[in-house]
Amino acid sequence: MSRPIHSKYGYEPPEWVQADSRLDKWYKDKRRASKHGAFSLEKKRRKQHAKDKKMPLS
């Protein structure tokens, strides 16, 4: 059995510490991206619909 390591979440096995660090990094990146609008589909749709509208022929 591996020896527990003290992390910011308490004493955990090394595998859990690695998993926690990967999840923390993933969440930090996702949060940063969503803060800057990288995952905002609504903004993309608005711009796309504005381009696709055709002027009516009169």
Side-chain angles (χ1 to χ4, degrees):
M1 183 171 168
S2 59
R3 186 174 180 163
I5 298 173
H6 182 71
S7 68
K8 65 181 181 179
Y9 301 111
Y11 287 97
E12 300 176 325
E15 298 85 16
W16 291 18
V17 173
Q18 288 176 351
D20 287 340
S21 67
R22 277 190 240 122
L23 285 171
D24 289 341
K25 184 178 179 184
W26 173 81
Y27 182 72
K28 183 179 175 184
D29 290 343
K30 182 176 178 172
R31 186 169 176 237
R32 183 185 312 127
S34 66
K35 195 173 187 181
H36 293 289
F39 294 112
S40 178
L41 296 175
E42 190 172 318
K43 286 183 182 178
K44 290 181 183 178
R45 285 183 189 149
R46 286 182 187 168
K47 290 179 183 177
Q48 188 177 19
H49 287 300
K51 288 180 191 174
D52 292 341
K53 287 185 180 179
K54 296 181 180 178
M55 296 294 291
L57 298 173
S58 47

